[in-house]
Amino acid sequence: MAHQITAMNMLKSLAGGLLLVAVGCSAPEVAPSKKSQLAADMKRATDHHSFSKPEEAVTTHLKWDAKVDFDQRQITATATYQVQTAKDAERLLLDCRDLTIHSVTVDGQDAPFELGPVRPFLGQPLSIPVTGTTKEVSVAYTTSPDAAAFLWVEGESPFLFTQSQAILARTWVPCQDSPGVRFTYEAHVEVPTELMALMSAVNPTEKSADGHYDFVMEQPIPSYLLALAVGDVEFRSVGAHTGVYATSDLIDASEYEFAEMEDMLVAAEELYGKYAWERYDLLVLPAAFPFGGMENPRLTFATPTIIAGDRSLVSLVAHELAHSWSGNLVTNATWDDFWLNEGFTVYFEQRIMEAVYGRDISEMLSTLSYQGLVDEVDAIMDVNPNDTHLRLHLKDRDPDDGMTAIAYDKGYFFLRLLEETVGRETFDNFLKTYFTSHAFQVMDTDTFLDYLDDNLLNTEELRSAVNVPAWVDGQGLPSNCPEVKSARIERVDATLNAWIQGTTASDALPWSDWLYQERYRFLSNLPDNTEAARLAELDAAWDINSTGNNEVLFAWLEQAVRSQHTPAYDRLRTFLVGVGRRKFLTPIYKALVETGQADLARDIYKEARPLYHSVATGTMDELLGVEG
Ligand code: BES
Ligand code: ZN
C-alpha cells in the first residue's frame, strides 16, 4: 500500500512539474484541449484564510528539525521545504503567526526575507525570494510561548499537544496553511528523555533512550493535519492495524474502551474502500484538549472524557476514523467547504456505527443529531441566518465560526436525503467511487455539486426531489429533511412527559435500563424551568454526580445550573476546572450567564482558564466578557 501511494505521489509531482513548465510555454505549443485540461488542473479555489500563492510557488515536502523546550514553552526548529515554482515565480509565501524568524536560505544560500503586516486570526505572510528554478527553501525559527496551537501541561506528567485545524499550524510551523496545499513530511524531534514524541506520521511504540525521534509521513497531507504530541505515554496494540497511546493511569482503561477500533476499521473499509494510511492509532490526550477528537492522520487525538468504562462513547472514534476518507483523503478546498469534511464524516460515522453496533444504536444517535441540529438552526437563524447554509462565507472571519451543527448535522441529513432518494446501494457505489477517484485531492462545493449532477442526480426527477440549492445555499432546514425515528427515544420522551406531569415518580423511572443516549435525551430535554427540588429527586434516585459518562454528566450539570440545583455545584466546579472540551464548556458557562450566575461563572473560569487551550479560552473570554 505504502509503495503504491508513493509511486502515485511521484507521478503526481511529475505531472505538477510538467504543468508548471507548461504554464510558461507560449500558447501554440500546447494543443487547445490539452491546454484547457492543464488549466483545469491548475484551478485552485481561493482560500481567504491563507496568504500563500501556491500557483506561483508551492511546497511539496517538508523536512522539520525541531527541539522542544518545556521550560521556555517553545520549539526551536528549521523547516526545509522542497518547492515547485512557476517559470516566472518571484516569491514563496508562507503563513506565519507569532513566529520569530531567525534566518532563511534558498537552495542553500542565505536569503533575505520579509514579514508582512499582522492581520487578525491570519497572522502574517513570510515572503521569500525564489525563481523558476528554485528547489529548496529553509526557514530557521522559534515559536512563541503563547503559540495558539499548543497546550503545555506542567507538573508531574508534563505534556505538549498541538491542535492545527483550522489555521493554527502557522503558529508552530511556517507553512502554506491552506487545505488546498498538500505535502509529504519527515521530522526529527528532540524532547526531554522521559517523554515520548508522536506525530501524524509513522510513530514509535516505545520511548527512545536519548529523547530523539524520527518521523515520516509518506502520503501528502494539508497543513491542518500536522500534529505533534509529547508526553509520558505508553502504547498498547488492540488489533492488527490499531492501537492506543495513553499515560500509565489511563492505559488499561483505554485499551478496554477502544478495543473495537479494528472492527470499525474493517467496517469502514467494507463501505468506502481501502484505508489509505496503513495504521490507525489513537492518542488519549490530557482533559484540556478543546475538542472531542481530531483526525490527525495515522493518530487520532482524543479527549479522555470519552472513556466511560463501558465503550458507550466510541462513536467519536468512528467519526475520526471516517475522516481518514472524508477530509484526509478528499479534503475541503477552503473552510467555506467545511461541510464536505464534516457532513460526509458524520454520515460515514453513522454508517460505521450501524455496521458495528446495529441500526437501533445508529438511529438513536441520528435522533440526537437531529435535535441538536434543530436547536442550533433556531439559534443561528436569530443571529446570522446565512450561517445556516451548507456553503459558508467565512471571508474576514475566524474559520472557527464554521464549526456548528450546520456543517456536521445539516450536512449529514443532506447525505441521508441523497441515500434515501437514490437507494442505499446506488449511494454507496457513488460514495466509494467519489473517494477513490478524488483520493489525495481537494474538493470545493461547486466541483462536488457538478460531480453529484453528473454521477448521481442525473434526472430532473431526482434533482427536484432533492432540491440541492435549498440545502447548500438556502437557510434553515429544508422541508424534505429525512425523518428519524427511534422507538427507544420515543419511549424516553413519553416517560419524560409522565415525569413532568407527575404521573411517574422519580424512583420509578427505568434509568438502569437506559443506554447513555436515552439518559442523555431525558436529561437534556428537562424543561429549563424545572424546579431544583425535582432535580434533587432525580439525584437521590440516580446519584448522577458520580456517573462515569461525561455526556450524561454534562447534560445533568447544564440543567443543574438552569434550575440552580446547588448541591451539584461542587461537581460543577471540578468538572469545569478539570475538563477543557469546548463542547461542554460553552453551554454550561452560557447557562450560568443566562440565569444571573455570571459572577460564579467568572469565579470558576478564573481558576480554570490557565488550564484551557487557546481554542477554548477564545470562546469563553468572549462569552464571559473577560480580557484575553
Ligand atoms: N475535525 C474536527 C475538529 C475540528 C474542526 C477542529 C474544526 C478544529 C476546527 C473533528 O473531527 C470533530 O469533528 N470533532 C468533534 C467530534 C465529533 C464526534 C463530532 C468534536 O471534537 O466535538
Ligand atoms: Zn469531524
Side-chain angles (χ1 to χ4, degrees):
M1 196 67 216
H3 178 74
Q4 259 178 31
I5 284 161
T6 315
M8 198 179 72
N9 293 343
M10 282 175 60
L11 268 175
K12 270 204 192 141
S13 42
L14 213 83
L18 288 173
L19 185 64
L20 287 157
V21 174
V23 169
C25 289
S26 53
E29 288 173 33
V30 185
S33 62
K34 267 237 176 93
K35 191 179 164 199
S36 61
Q37 182 57 45
L38 290 172
D41 285 348
M42 252 337 238
K43 194 192 121 209
R44 286 174 194 272
T46 309
D47 179 3
H48 298 293
H49 294 105
S50 172
F51 293 108
S52 66
K53 293 211 172 359
E55 63 284 0
E56 184 175 350
V58 66
T59 57
T60 57
H61 181 80
L62 164 66
K63 189 164 178 245
W64 193 60
D65 200 330
K67 187 170 173 174
V68 178
D69 182 343
F70 274 82
D71 292 332
Q72 302 294 322
R73 293 190 164 201
Q74 65 187 24
I75 292 182
T76 295
T78 309
T80 304
Y81 285 105
Q82 282 167 30
V83 298
Q84 286 179 358
T85 53
K87 206 175 175 192
D88 56 354
E90 290 178 352
R91 59 198 181 150
L92 170 73
L93 287 171
L94 300 177
D95 295 295
C96 293
R97 191 177 141 195
D98 298 330
L99 299 179
T100 304
I101 309 295
H102 304 308
S103 60
V104 168
T105 66
V106 175
D107 288 332
Q109 304 293 311
D110 282 343
F113 62 89
E114 213 177 291
L115 277 164
V118 175
R119 297 246 320 263
F121 320 120
L122 304 178
Q124 56 191 150
L126 170 63
S127 175
I128 299 170
V130 297
T131 68
T133 60
T134 301
K135 292 279 164 296
E136 191 183 279
V137 170
S138 188
V139 181
Y141 68 97
T142 301
T143 59
S144 157
D146 304 316
F150 291 157
L151 191 106
W152 303 87
V153 179
E154 277 175 0
E156 241 168 76
S157 185
F159 212 106
L160 163 68
F161 66 81
T162 63
Q163 168 58 42
S164 295
Q165 196 181 11
I167 54 169
L168 303 180
R170 64 190 69 177
T171 70
W172 63 289
V173 184
C175 60
Q176 295 190 309
D177 201 5
S178 172
V181 177
R182 303 181 93 88
F183 52 89
T184 50
Y185 78 85
E186 64 195 286
H188 178 88
V189 183
E190 188 185 342
V191 303
T193 46
E194 67 279 11
L195 305 180
M196 198 192 293
L198 299 168
M199 292 192 79
S200 50
V202 178
N203 276 306
T205 54
E206 276 170 31
K207 281 182 216 159
S208 73
D210 59 1
H212 286 256
Y213 294 88
D214 287 297
F215 301 92
V216 184
M217 170 44 79
E218 285 195 342
Q219 292 91 330
I221 60 159
S223 56
Y224 79 87
L225 297 176
L226 279 172
L228 170 71
V230 182
D232 186 3
V233 295
E234 297 172 32
F235 174 76
R236 295 271 171 86
S237 168
V238 299
H241 311 88
T242 46
V244 291
Y245 293 87
T247 49
S248 58
D249 54 326
L250 291 177
I251 192 71
D252 288 334
S254 303
E255 184 180 4
Y256 176 81
E257 204 78 20
F258 306 119
E260 293 154 344
M261 279 195 321
E262 191 81 20
D263 297 343
M264 290 186 177
L265 178 58
V266 170
E269 283 194 313
E270 264 169 32
L271 282 164
Y272 302 128
K274 183 104 183 84
Y275 181 71
W277 311 88
E278 293 155 24
R279 284 198 59 84
Y280 181 77
D281 296 315
L282 181 143
L283 168 64
V284 178
L285 288 178
F289 185 50
F291 296 112
M294 177 64 213
E295 66 272 26
N296 299 129
R298 295 185 73 115
L299 184 66
T300 281
F301 283 16
T303 169
T305 61
I306 55 168
I307 303 176
D310 59 4
R311 300 177 181 166
S312 56
L313 300 177
V314 292
S315 65
L316 184 129
V317 180
H319 178 96
E320 304 313 334
L321 170 65
H323 271 306
S324 306
W325 288 258
S326 42
N328 299 5
L329 200 57
V330 184
T331 306
N332 55 201
T334 74
W335 300 115
D336 287 346
D337 309 303
F338 186 51
W339 74 279
L340 294 176
N341 271 20
E342 297 299 344
F344 279 59
T345 297
V346 173
Y347 177 82
F348 195 171
E349 164 197 345
Q350 304 279 35
R351 294 296 304 275
I352 294 170
M353 291 305 289
E354 180 180 330
V356 179
Y357 300 97
R359 180 102 177 157
D360 268 7
I361 293 287
S362 65
E363 281 300 90
M364 273 201 281
L365 292 169
S366 303
T367 312
L368 300 184
S369 150
Y370 183 77
Q371 182 176 7
L373 175 59
V374 170
D375 291 349
E376 198 149 351
V377 164
D378 281 351
I380 301 175
M381 285 301 281
D382 287 343
V383 190
N384 192 350
N386 289 348
D387 282 353
T388 61
H389 301 180
L390 283 178
R391 189 205 316 257
L392 297 171
H393 300 278
L394 296 169
K395 184 170 188 279
D396 298 326
R397 296 169 67 186
D398 188 340
D400 212 43
D401 290 0
M403 203 188 176
T404 71
I406 300 303
Y408 287 80
D409 302 297
K410 188 178 176 184
Y412 162 70
F413 280 102
F414 176 60
L415 292 206
R416 183 165 165 151
L417 172 65
L418 293 176
E419 179 206 310
E420 290 180 3
T421 306
V422 301
R424 182 169 273 195
E425 204 187 322
T426 306
F427 190 57
D428 281 352
N429 287 332
F430 166 82
L431 271 190
K432 194 170 185 169
T433 308
Y434 169 74
F435 289 129
T436 318
S437 59
H438 296 91
F440 298 103
Q441 293 176 26
V442 291
M443 184 57 61
D444 61 78
T445 300
D446 278 334
T447 308
F448 175 71
L449 296 186
D450 286 346
Y451 184 82
L452 186 64
D453 265 1
D454 292 347
N455 297 283
L456 196 73
L457 303 182
N458 42 20
T459 67
E460 249 339 291
E461 201 188 340
L462 289 172
R463 284 188 195 126
S464 71
V466 172
N467 192 3
V468 173
W471 284 84
V472 174
D473 296 304
Q475 293 177 0
L477 207 51
S479 55
N480 60 355
C481 183
E483 277 188 34
V484 258
K485 246 182 179 295
S486 158
R488 296 183 73 139
I489 294 290
E490 279 172 18
R491 274 199 296 276
V492 172
D493 292 350
T495 307
L496 174 59
N497 274 328
W499 182 81
I500 293 169
Q501 308 297 317
T503 51
T504 302
S506 297
D507 51 12
L509 294 168
W511 182 257
S512 56
D513 301 335
W514 280 344
L515 297 172
Y516 119 75
Q517 292 89 342
E518 295 165 292
R519 294 176 176 190
Y520 180 88
R521 175 76 167 201
F522 184 94
L523 292 173
S524 61
N525 278 357
L526 287 166
D528 281 0
N529 61 3
T530 305
E531 279 169 26
R534 300 229 62 203
L535 289 200
E537 283 173 29
L538 297 179
D539 210 0
W542 304 332
D543 187 20
I544 314 175
N545 286 325
S546 42
T547 174
N549 188 303
N550 284 291
E551 295 280 348
V552 172
L553 181 62
F554 157 69
W556 164 248
L557 290 176
E558 188 188 346
Q559 190 55 49
V561 166
R562 294 205 178 273
S563 301
Q564 311 215 8
H565 172 58
T566 51
Y569 279 21
D570 284 344
R571 188 70 188 93
L572 175 72
R573 185 180 281 269
T574 57
F575 185 72
L576 292 178
V577 173
V579 172
R581 188 173 170 187
R582 186 171 61 175
K583 183 185 105 165
F584 293 152
L585 303 182
T586 309
I588 293 182
Y589 280 114
K590 206 181 218 160
L592 283 165
V593 171
E594 285 172 0
T595 52
Q597 305 173 84
D599 286 346
L600 174 61
R602 276 190 282 269
D603 184 62
I604 297 175
Y605 187 52
K606 202 171 161 201
E607 185 182 348
R609 193 181 186 282
L611 308 169
Y612 293 164
H613 186 273
S614 76
V615 161
T617 57
T619 307
M620 275 2 104
D621 285 353
E622 197 177 320
L623 199 118
L624 298 172
V626 171
E627 288 280 313

